[in-house]
Amino acid sequence: METLESELTCPICLELFEDPLLLPCAHSLCFNCAHRILVSHCSTSKPLESISAFQCPTCRYVITLNHRGLEGLKRNVTLQNIIDRFQKASLSGPNSPTESRRLQPQRPYTATISGTIAGTIGGSGGTSGGSARGSPATSSHSHSHANHANHANHANHTNHTNANHSPAVVAKMDPRISCQFCEQDPPREAVKTCVTCEVSYCDRCLRATHPNKKPFTSHRLVEPVPDTHIRGLTCLEHENEKVNMYCLVDDQLICALCKLVGRHREHQVSSLTERFDKLKQTLENNLTNLVKRNSELENQMAKLIQICQQVEVNTAMHEAKLVEECDELVEIIRQRKQVIAVKIKESKVMKLRKLAQQIANCRQCLERSSALITQAEQSLKENDHARFLQTARNVAERVAMATASSQVLIPDVNLNEAFDNFALDFSREKKILEGLDYLTAPNPPSIRDELCTASHDTITVHWTSEDEFSVTSYELQYTIYTGQTNFISLYNSADSWMIVPNIKQNHYTVHGLQSGTRYIFFVKAINQAGSRNSEPARLKTNSQPFKLDPKTAHKKLRLSNDCLTMEKDESSLKKSHTPERFSGTGSYGAAGNVFIDSGCHYWEVLLGASTWYAIGVAYKSAPKNEWSGKNSSSWVFSRCNNNFMVRHDGKEMLVEASLQLRRLGVLLDYDNNSLSFYDAMNSQHIHTFEVSFLLPVVPTFMIWNKSVMILSGLPVPDFVDGVASDLQEQQQQQMGLCRQESPYLTGMKTCH
């Protein structure tokens, strides 16, 4: 019966339908409740008679009224009959729900509107009102509540004061919950809280107000909780109205009147449950991220602490090493001091010995000369001529001999023996000692892109280093660039890296590379203290060079001696027939002499005055007796007089190109499954095929007049990279259609 009653309840007044109207949306509404809704839309400038529409409170469908107003809506006679039967059945029992309903005082209109709008937003329609009933059960209840308004005001004050506190916090602030029904002062302590009545009772008041009979047996009694937890938050703009929805525009809690007649009338709102779930999910996600971030910070902090500890350990180790090294230097200096001091002493003894010998020789010569001088002086005193001549002749000879040999008798003095030319010069060693310092890892080198060169299978890398004199050697590392932007994770995948160690110069040439392939290079500067890497450099080998293969050329084509130019020649030349030769009528083509199965390759074709040609790529299995692009194994860009088109699998599509096109650029990116054509002179993109290549492809060329020339092995121009990145998404969409038949102009008139 309760389920049926909820189905027969008006979503506005929360009573059984009375004189129900059948709305166009198939919902029902009491006539008086519909009239109340219209009244709520009235204003001084908008009388009741001018209101021509309102929204269904259940589904928000706009109900349009005619000139009769509500009288123009149909009465739901069937629903009224069901209600009459339900009321009769309910009156047959003493404790019928209808009787209980009669005893309950009706809520004011504003309260019923709140329940209606909240139920509507919650998506429960008219049935939402069943759980919204929460008034006191009897008229005596209402009278007692009126007598104890001071307790209700105190509860409302608590509600506003502690609106932002959880029930646990409120209970902690005021652990004693008073009875809100007692007339004595102070009131007794509450023992139960009635969730249905939204009132806390002491034991005496609970027995008086909730006898053990219906409808009170259905009231939900819980342990005493604060009034703010039961009654919830009230609207800031409409007194005594509970907030029951959330304004998404102003980001605030509102009541039903705010949405119905207030300033939030035109705003988008959400139910509290929906907003609660969304905000709770957001908070949980943010909390998860915050916890994750805290965990990462803790790990980072642990690593930093570990690094600090390692710094302490390394510092102590280096300090001990410094003392050890300096002590060794001091010991070396001390030993060298002793050695040099011994040398000085030995030199001193040797020099003094020589000087003493010379002094002894000089003293001996001096004594002989002094004796001769004395004897000569005695002879000079003799006045007797005869005696003088007899004695002085011998003396004179001895003096003459002594005078003549005086240079021999007097020893030479060697000034070098005085140590004047001996010096101690340690200026160089002092300068070295003054420059003593700990050695650090060299600064990262810098790869000079502008100096690097490449061919189709080699790349020469040049780099510079600020610490060139402290670098012991360099190490070059390289790998194929796969488009991965995270160079750190790419660098950590050591298995894919090639390493060239012990390089002494500032450049190195790497051989044996794949043509048309982009590589990542690192240079590592190394010394005894460690090593540091340069920033990564992306360098690319040139495209695969090729020429025209004479064995594939049609017999009515003439190739130049260097096999780079092909010319249409109507004179039939005798050429041996081979399976790879273009041989069909009108299939005046030739292929390159290489098959490409990887990399990115670019070549250009000088078109000259030719106005009828087809240029592209093909599998080896492509038929040679028909035009390129007429089968599923070839893709070409073609010109037929003033028409430019792309062709594949017999389907053609017109494209825009300049009639002055003289230089056609072809970019084959095998790894990324694309074939693009460019106006190389004007740096303009023409078309891109998105192809999942399954086999190696060969460049193909067809002409029907004049001649063309091939330029291969070229680096990819800068404008090609820019255009390719700008048009990548557009070309993917275009070639997605290209795999279907609809975008191609099938049945186009073919040039002959």
Side-chain angles (χ1 to χ4, degrees):
M1 294 292 287
E2 292 182 358
T3 303
L4 178 60
E5 180 184 3
S6 64
E7 296 293 335
L8 302 178
T9 301
C10 173
I12 295 297
C13 62
L14 303 181
E15 302 289 343
L16 295 178
F17 283 108
E18 182 178 352
D19 193 11
L21 297 176
L22 180 61
L23 304 180
C25 60
H27 292 109
S28 297
L29 195 65
C30 295
F31 184 90
N32 290 336
C33 293
H35 184 267
R36 291 176 182 176
I37 294 177
L38 297 182
V39 171
S40 66
H41 288 75
C42 292
S43 63
T44 55
S45 60
K46 191 175 183 180
L48 180 64
E49 294 77 9
S50 64
I51 299 175
S52 61
F54 68 96
Q55 287 184 336
C56 171
T58 302
C59 65
R60 291 304 188 195
Y61 181 80
V62 178
I63 311 299
T64 303
L65 303 176
N66 56 20
H67 64 282
R68 298 176 58 192
L70 294 178
E71 296 294 339
L73 298 177
K74 295 181 180 180
R75 296 297 197 276
N76 196 337
V77 179
T78 302
L79 178 61
Q80 185 63 56
N81 293 335
I82 295 174
I83 294 173
D84 293 341
R85 290 184 182 181
F86 175 78
Q87 288 177 331
K88 290 179 181 180
S90 301
L91 291 174
S92 61
N95 297 325
S96 65
T98 305
E99 184 67 17
S100 300
R101 184 188 309 277
R102 186 183 62 80
L103 294 175
Q104 293 182 2
Q106 290 189 0
R107 292 176 177 267
Y109 170 66
T110 56
T112 60
I113 293 295
S114 302
T116 301
I117 301 299
T120 302
I121 294 178
S124 57
T127 61
S128 64
S131 63
R133 304 172 191 174
S135 63
T138 62
S139 58
S140 61
H141 250 129
S142 302
H143 180 72
S144 297
H145 279 299
N147 292 337
H148 297 281
N150 58 331
H151 297 302
N153 292 335
H154 173 71
N156 289 335
H157 175 71
T158 306
N159 177 35
H160 287 291
T161 305
N162 301 318
N164 296 326
H165 294 287
S166 64
V169 174
V170 175
K172 186 176 181 180
M173 293 170 60
D174 187 10
R176 182 178 181 276
I177 299 176
S178 301
C179 176
Q180 295 175 296
F181 206 77
C182 285
E183 296 183 356
Q184 70 179 33
D185 190 22
R188 287 183 289 271
E189 184 176 356
V191 296
K192 293 290 182 181
T193 297
C194 179
V195 178
T196 307
C197 302
E198 299 182 352
V199 177
S200 296
Y201 299 97
C202 65
D203 185 63
R204 180 183 300 179
C205 294
L206 181 65
R207 289 196 302 269
T209 59
H210 286 70
N212 190 17
K213 63 174 63 177
K214 288 187 177 181
F216 303 108
T217 55
S218 62
H219 285 208
R220 182 186 173 196
L221 300 177
V222 297
E223 292 300 317
V225 295
D227 191 48
T228 54
H229 184 61
I230 290 296
R231 297 184 179 275
L233 302 178
T234 57
C235 181
L236 298 177
E237 298 183 8
H238 301 92
E239 186 176 1
N240 297 328
E241 282 294 320
K242 295 180 182 179
V243 293
N244 51 13
M245 61 187 70
Y246 195 88
C247 178
L248 300 178
V249 177
D250 294 337
D251 198 24
Q252 70 179 63
L253 294 165
I254 61 173
C255 68
L257 289 179
C258 293
K259 175 60 179 173
L260 195 62
V261 296
R263 63 185 182 88
H264 302 277
R265 182 174 180 177
E266 303 297 331
H267 293 179
Q268 183 180 1
V269 298
S270 171
S271 67
L272 295 184
T273 301
E274 179 182 354
R275 187 62 182 172
F276 167 81
D277 294 339
K278 185 176 181 180
L279 183 58
K280 184 178 181 181
Q281 183 65 36
T282 302
L283 181 59
E284 288 177 349
N285 293 339
N286 292 338
L287 180 61
T288 301
N289 294 334
L290 184 60
V291 171
K292 181 180 178 182
R293 180 173 176 270
N294 285 350
S295 177
E296 293 175 352
L297 288 175
E298 289 176 355
N299 293 336
Q300 186 73 9
M301 187 171 65
K303 292 180 180 178
L304 292 175
I305 293 175
Q306 184 178 2
I307 293 175
C308 291
Q309 295 173 349
Q310 191 64 34
V311 168
E312 294 289 346
V313 173
N314 291 340
T315 301
M317 180 183 66
H318 290 312
E319 288 176 347
K321 183 67 174 177
L322 174 63
V323 173
E324 179 183 354
E325 293 291 336
C326 290
D327 289 344
E328 289 183 4
L329 290 176
V330 172
E331 179 63 23
I332 292 173
I333 294 175
R334 188 188 65 78
Q335 293 177 0
R336 294 305 302 168
K337 175 183 177 183
Q338 291 179 354
V339 171
I340 295 174
V342 170
K343 287 184 178 181
I344 293 175
K345 290 180 179 180
E346 290 177 351
S347 298
K348 171 186 175 183
V349 171
M350 183 180 64
K351 290 181 181 297
L352 290 178
R353 185 182 295 118
K354 290 182 179 181
L355 292 174
Q357 183 64 37
Q358 291 179 359
I359 291 173
N361 293 338
C362 290
R363 182 177 291 112
Q364 185 178 0
C365 292
L366 183 60
E367 290 177 354
R368 287 198 299 266
S369 298
S370 298
L372 184 59
I373 292 172
T374 302
Q375 188 176 0
E377 288 178 348
Q378 291 295 332
S379 298
L380 290 175
K381 293 179 180 180
E382 182 63 49
N383 293 326
D384 185 3
H385 293 180
R387 290 182 181 277
F388 177 79
L389 290 175
Q390 184 180 1
T391 58
R393 185 178 60 181
N394 186 27
V395 174
E397 291 177 358
R398 291 172 60 190
V399 171
M401 291 176 59
T403 302
S405 60
S406 61
Q407 297 299 325
V408 180
L409 297 176
I410 299 175
D412 295 331
V413 178
N414 188 358
L415 299 179
N416 293 331
E417 302 296 336
F419 263 6
D420 290 342
N421 59 347
F422 181 84
L424 291 175
D425 184 9
F426 294 137
S427 58
R428 181 173 61 88
E429 288 76 7
K430 289 179 180 178
K431 188 174 182 180
I432 294 176
L433 290 175
E434 289 173 355
L436 286 180
D437 201 350
Y438 59 87
L439 185 63
T440 60
N443 288 327
S446 176
I447 297 179
R448 301 287 300 277
D449 292 355
E450 69 279 8
L451 300 180
C452 298
T453 58
S455 67
H456 71 281
D457 63 349
T458 65
I459 292 179
T460 300
V461 185
H462 290 260
W463 62 87
T464 57
S465 175
E466 297 178 357
D467 300 331
E468 184 174 352
F469 295 104
S470 66
V471 176
T472 305
S473 64
Y474 297 98
E475 183 177 278
L476 180 64
Q477 304 181 28
Y478 64 95
T479 188
I480 295 178
Y481 177 60
T482 58
Q484 187 173 355
T485 56
N486 190 344
F487 290 111
I488 296 178
S489 60
L490 178 63
Y491 182 77
N492 291 334
S493 57
D495 295 339
S496 62
W497 288 87
M498 300 296 293
I499 300 176
V500 182
N502 199 27
I503 302 174
K504 301 299 182 181
Q505 304 86 7
N506 285 9
H507 59 86
Y508 188 83
T509 300
V510 182
H511 296 271
L513 302 177
Q514 298 181 18
S515 59
T517 304
R518 196 178 298 274
Y519 288 84
I520 294 290
F521 286 88
F522 284 97
V523 177
K524 180 185 294 185
I526 306 171
N527 64 10
Q528 294 87 340
S531 62
R532 289 184 181 176
N533 288 330
S534 68
E535 290 294 324
R538 287 184 288 182
L539 303 175
K540 183 177 179 296
T541 54
N542 291 344
S543 306
Q544 174 68 48
F546 64 86
K547 296 182 179 181
L548 296 172
D549 188 355
K551 294 184 295 185
T552 64
H554 193 279
K555 63 181 181 178
K556 290 190 177 182
L557 291 180
R558 184 171 67 247
L559 304 186
S560 61
N561 294 332
D562 57 7
C563 293
L564 296 177
T565 303
M566 56 186 289
E567 182 179 3
K568 176 70 182 309
D569 187 0
E570 291 295 337
S571 61
S572 178
L573 301 178
K574 293 183 179 180
K575 296 179 180 178
S576 60
H577 177 73
T578 57
E580 61 268 20
R581 187 181 300 280
F582 286 85
S583 58
T585 302
S587 300
Y588 307 125
N593 61 354
V594 297
F595 283 91
I596 301 173
D597 60 359
S598 65
C600 182
H601 306 270
Y602 178 80
W603 62 90
E604 294 182 354
V605 183
L606 303 182
L607 303 171
S610 179
T611 58
W612 197 358
Y613 51 80
I615 297 169
V617 298
Y619 292 145
K620 184 178 181 180
S621 60
K624 301 297 189 296
N625 57 353
E626 62 182 15
W627 289 9
S628 296
K630 289 290 188 180
N631 49 73
S632 61
S633 300
S634 56
W635 300 260
V636 297
F637 168 80
S638 177
R639 177 179 181 177
C640 180
N641 295 329
N642 293 334
N643 292 326
F644 295 91
M645 67 197 73
V646 289
R647 185 165 58 244
H648 168 63
D649 201 12
K651 304 180 184 68
E652 297 176 340
M653 182 174 67
L654 291 174
V655 294
E656 294 184 3
S658 172
L659 294 176
Q660 285 73 39
L661 178 62
R662 294 293 180 266
R663 192 167 181 170
L664 179 67
V666 183
L667 178 68
L668 171 62
D669 194 345
Y670 193 97
D671 296 332
N672 291 321
N673 302 316
S674 67
L675 174 66
S676 302
F677 300 94
Y678 299 87
D679 182 348
M681 294 292 292
N682 297 319
S683 303
Q684 292 180 350
H685 174 262
I686 298 177
H687 185 77
T688 294
F689 283 105
E690 294 293 334
V691 186
S692 297
F693 294 112
L694 303 176
L695 298 170
V697 295
V698 61
T700 59
F701 309 87
M702 279 191 171
I703 60 171
W704 286 268
N705 62 8
K706 306 300 180 180
S707 63
V708 296
M709 182 177 178
I710 301 166
L711 302 176
S712 64
L714 303 176
V716 179
D718 294 336
F719 75 87
V720 170
D721 289 335
V723 172
S725 60
D726 293 340
L727 298 180
Q728 183 177 7
E729 182 178 355
Q730 176 183 350
Q731 294 304 319
Q732 287 177 350
Q733 297 175 354
Q734 178 180 354
M735 294 315 299
L737 298 174
C738 186
R739 297 187 180 95
Q740 306 174 3
E741 292 187 6
S742 56
Y744 285 94
L745 302 180
T746 57
M748 185 196 305
K749 183 177 179 181
T750 306
C751 295
H752 295 287

